[in-house]
Amino acid sequence: MKNRHRGWVAAKYATLLAAVFGILFPPYIIVVNAFKTSEEFLRKSAIELPDSFLHLANFAAAFDKADMPRAFGNTIVIIGITLVLNILIGSAFCYAVGRFQFKFRGILVSLFLFATIIPTITTQVVNYKTIQAMELTNNLMGPVLLYVGADILQIYIYLQFVRNIPYELDESAMIEGASLLRIFRSIIFPLLGPATATIVILKTISIYNDMFVPYLYLSRPEHVVVSTSLMRFFSVNSGDWQLISSAILIIMIPTAVLYLFLQKYIFAGVTSGAVK
């Protein structure tokens, strides 16, 4: 029995090590090749370390050729506007639904739940025709509108937080003469800080990594974002893997840093806002 238990433990650790290897091996290949010169890349295998990790010419070339300044600028604009609208609309909607009783309230919340089971691909034609009719193709506001209107996760995160805030706080403020807007602005919204932080992180990473929406709606070079910038850079420089690795690493760094430093807010917010 003891040998069987040891064998089971060994199998579990072997499985975990295999999973870690599968996750870390691709980033390792990207990192080691990003610092190689073209001669090194041809001379060495893909898994060998570069002669020096101080060779930064690849990063400068990739940053310039991939039009990274414009790509990061457009991405920041899209993320910034989307987050502001998501937070304002989502928190206000969940405050109204979570605090007040009105007709069709349950149906309204159920419709949001129903929207999560509809395959995204089935609505793409309608979405594109709608954005096209609004003349928002090749306009940064087109993706913003889609990102704001398609976010269901934030509704349930905010809703669970609102329901956990004691209603006595609202009553005390009403006794003091505060309006509903003042209660929301001064009491409810500050208490939604953990939920807001969670939504900001998850939404930022989601938009940053999305390629489908920018590729479909922002076809002009001046509207390039980080994901489409990398795709176009790869198509032009498909033979220069050291430059491609550098471009990938440049794009990976912001989300990796964001996740490493703020992951506790992601776990705490999603866990606290989970539907019980």
Side-chain angles (χ1 to χ4, degrees):
M1 181 65 71
K2 182 179 291 187
N3 291 335
R4 183 179 179 182
H5 176 70
R6 289 178 178 175
W8 175 245
V9 172
K12 288 194 295 184
Y13 278 105
T15 303
L16 291 174
L17 288 174
V20 170
F21 177 80
I23 293 172
L24 295 182
F25 184 70
Y28 167 79
I29 295 295
I30 296 297
V31 171
V32 297
N33 286 288
F35 292 92
K36 292 178 180 178
T37 64
S38 57
E39 293 79 11
E40 281 185 87
F41 185 81
L42 295 175
R43 176 168 46 89
K44 296 183 176 181
S45 68
I47 62 175
E48 287 187 78
L49 295 174
D51 292 339
S52 173
F53 281 100
L54 299 177
H55 178 69
L56 304 178
N58 291 338
F59 294 92
F63 193 81
D64 180 61
K65 292 182 179 180
D67 201 9
M68 291 291 185
R70 178 177 294 177
F72 276 109
N74 290 336
T75 303
I76 291 173
V77 169
I78 293 174
I79 291 176
I81 298 175
T82 301
L83 290 178
V84 170
L85 294 177
N86 269 138
I87 292 170
L88 291 178
I89 297 174
S91 59
F93 172 83
C94 292
Y95 172 62
V97 172
R99 276 293 195 259
F100 308 116
Q101 298 292 332
F102 53 88
K103 195 174 183 180
F104 303 123
R105 172 176 172 269
I107 296 177
L108 185 61
V109 176
S110 299
L111 287 175
F112 279 97
L113 179 62
F114 177 74
T116 62
I117 66 175
I118 300 176
T120 305
I121 193 65
T122 61
T123 61
Q124 291 307 315
V125 175
V126 176
N127 288 342
Y128 186 83
K129 289 294 184 181
T130 301
I131 297 299
Q132 189 179 48
M134 299 174 67
E135 299 182 353
L136 290 178
T137 54
N138 286 309
N139 188 310
L140 296 182
M141 289 305 299
V144 168
L145 186 61
L146 290 172
Y147 291 136
V148 171
D151 195 347
I152 309 299
L153 177 63
Q154 68 161 6
I155 297 298
Y156 287 94
I157 293 178
Y158 268 138
L159 194 57
Q160 294 305 311
F161 269 85
V162 169
R163 288 172 175 172
N164 289 329
I165 297 175
Y167 187 70
E168 287 76 8
L169 295 176
D170 300 51
E171 293 176 336
S172 299
M174 290 178 185
I175 292 175
E176 297 295 329
S179 64
L180 294 177
L181 181 61
R182 178 66 181 275
I183 293 173
F184 171 73
R185 186 180 70 250
S186 302
I187 299 176
I188 303 299
F189 188 75
L191 293 176
L192 295 177
T196 301
T198 303
I199 292 168
V200 167
I201 298 166
L202 295 178
K203 196 68 177 178
T204 298
I205 295 176
S206 175
I207 297 174
Y208 189 87
N209 293 333
D210 182 36
M211 187 188 72
F212 178 76
V213 171
Y215 177 74
L216 185 61
Y217 294 92
L218 302 175
S219 58
R220 294 177 182 172
E222 61 267 25
H223 295 141
V224 66
V225 297
V226 290
S227 56
T228 54
S229 170
L230 180 61
M231 181 189 65
R232 294 171 182 174
F233 182 73
F234 179 83
S235 64
V236 176
N237 301 273
S238 57
D240 297 325
W241 280 97
Q242 69 281 359
L243 291 181
I244 294 173
S245 298
S246 301
I248 294 174
L249 195 57
I250 291 172
I251 291 176
M252 284 174 55
I253 289 174
T255 52
V257 172
L258 181 69
Y259 185 82
L260 287 174
F261 283 96
L262 302 178
Q263 59 179 315
K264 63 179 181 179
Y265 296 106
I266 299 177
F267 297 139
V270 172
T271 303
S272 300
V275 179
K276 299 179 177 62

